[in-house]
Amino acid sequence: MFPLILSTNEWISMDKWHNIFLIGFSGSGKSTVGSLLARTVRATFLDSDSLIEECFGKSISRIFSEEGENTFREAESDVISEVMTVANTRRVIALGGGAFQTRGNRQMIMDHDSLVIYLSCSVRELYRRLTNNTDRPLLQARLRPGESKRQALQRQIATLLNRRRKQYSLADITVSTTNRSPVEVSRFILNKIKELDAKSSR
């Protein structure tokens, strides 16, 4: 269990943001960092992929293969919409890697004074974290002539990352999780939140 990373005398006011959304590629650390952040700021932690799996009663990979990506994306938007309508609850929400690419999702999130945090990570580190994970439908890459499985997966990660980078860059805070522990990443985020709070109160 991770420790609380803020002491009582340095507590952060979260009145401005009831919803903190973590975006980024699969394997960037959204669930781990999100859980730690939520515990530290006394918020509820939610993972959109987990909520969708609970709703369908099957894994993300099975939803993709049996229901199709469009059905998954619709469920993703429904989850975000439902989260936004719950009042008077402080939440930290980890979104699936492609959720922020949908314009409607971005508008819902950014129009409700939510704080958006992008967890960036290098292709090499993402490969290391995802290489043994077979439950990522969009990471299934066909081998090109003379290409190894490692090269194919790294190519697929780089392709998707480049496709999503423009939307990811819209986040209020960006932090690299490469070569950083979840506690270090969370500390960085909380310091950035304190800076934003200070600027908004001037």
Side-chain angles (χ1 to χ4, degrees):
M1 178 69 71
F2 289 117
L4 288 173
I5 54 178
L6 286 182
S7 61
T8 304
N9 61 1
E10 58 177 343
W11 205 256
I12 292 175
S13 169
M14 300 294 291
D15 293 338
K16 185 176 179 180
W17 301 289
H18 285 294
N19 296 308
I20 299 177
F21 286 91
L22 300 183
I23 64 173
F25 206 84
S26 297
S28 60
K30 299 186 297 290
S31 295
T32 305
V33 172
S35 180
L36 177 56
L37 269 179
R39 183 166 174 264
T40 300
V41 300
R42 297 175 182 170
T44 299
F45 174 68
L46 300 172
D47 183 296
S48 66
D49 282 352
S50 295
L51 292 174
I52 294 170
E53 288 180 331
E54 288 178 18
C55 178
F56 281 85
K58 60 182 76 172
S59 67
I60 298 298
S61 60
R62 283 188 58 198
I63 296 171
F64 265 73
S65 63
E66 297 174 10
E67 311 288 342
E69 183 176 356
N70 287 340
T71 297
F72 172 79
R73 295 302 176 194
E74 289 173 3
E76 201 169 48
S77 296
D78 289 343
V79 164
I80 294 172
S81 177
E82 186 172 342
V83 166
M84 303 296 285
T85 59
V86 179
N88 302 320
T89 303
R90 181 179 295 165
R91 293 166 294 265
V92 176
I93 306 105
L95 293 181
F100 205 64
Q101 307 310 297
T102 303
R103 174 182 285 184
N105 293 345
R106 291 198 305 276
Q107 289 179 335
M108 273 194 290
I109 292 168
M110 300 179 80
D111 288 349
H112 285 78
D113 293 325
S114 299
L115 186 68
V116 182
I117 301 167
Y118 168 40
L119 304 190
S120 69
C121 193
S122 70
V123 171
R124 180 176 295 183
E125 179 61 16
L126 288 170
Y127 168 79
R128 186 188 69 79
R129 297 178 186 180
L130 296 171
T131 185
N132 294 320
N133 192 320
T134 59
D135 194 31
R136 308 283 177 172
L138 296 182
L139 292 182
Q140 306 305 314
R142 291 184 178 181
L143 293 179
R144 293 176 177 175
E147 191 176 47
S148 67
K149 289 184 178 180
R150 175 185 181 127
Q151 290 171 327
L153 180 53
Q154 288 186 336
R155 170 175 54 79
Q156 184 70 354
I157 291 172
T159 298
L160 286 171
L161 195 56
N162 287 332
R163 189 180 301 163
R164 297 171 177 179
R165 187 167 278 122
K166 181 178 179 181
Q167 285 72 36
Y168 285 160
S169 69
L170 298 174
D172 301 293
I173 296 172
T174 296
V175 53
S176 173
T177 65
T178 306
N179 299 324
R180 277 177 168 162
S181 71
V183 170
E184 290 172 327
V185 172
S186 298
R187 168 63 71 173
F188 179 92
I189 290 170
L190 291 167
N191 284 335
K192 286 295 181 181
I193 292 174
K194 288 166 70 175
E195 290 177 12
L196 291 175
D197 274 342
K199 288 180 180 178
S200 64
S201 62
R202 290 174 184 170

